[in-house]
Amino acid sequence: MTIVALTIIAIVTAIFYIDRIAKAAVERAGTYPLGVDTHLESMDIGVFSSTVSIDELHVTNPDG
């Protein structure tokens, strides 16, 4: 019973924080391979509507 409750809590928490988690992942995925700062203003993932919206992706130009 405890494992079921913890699983449900984890799923609800992931759905609630999915936008923040995805935003951080996109910023890290852009910054690491490019070696420049990557910033994303906002990201909205529609879990139940199957949509993704990305607003203002900024990638810094590399030196040189």
Side-chain angles (χ1 to χ4, degrees), residues 4-60:
V4 173
L6 289 175
T7 302
I8 292 171
I9 290 170
I11 291 170
V12 170
T13 302
I15 290 172
F16 184 71
Y17 288 106
I18 191 96
D19 296 338
R20 294 179 197 170
I21 295 167
K23 179 181 180 258
V26 168
E27 289 177 339
R28 269 186 267 126
T31 299
Y32 179 71
L34 297 175
V36 295
D37 186 42
T38 304
H39 177 72
L40 182 60
E41 189 65 34
S42 67
M43 185 167 194
D44 182 37
I45 298 185
V47 176
F48 301 109
S49 63
S50 300
T51 60
V52 176
S53 173
I54 296 175
D55 294 320
E56 298 188 36
L57 176 63
H58 300 277
V59 180
T60 305

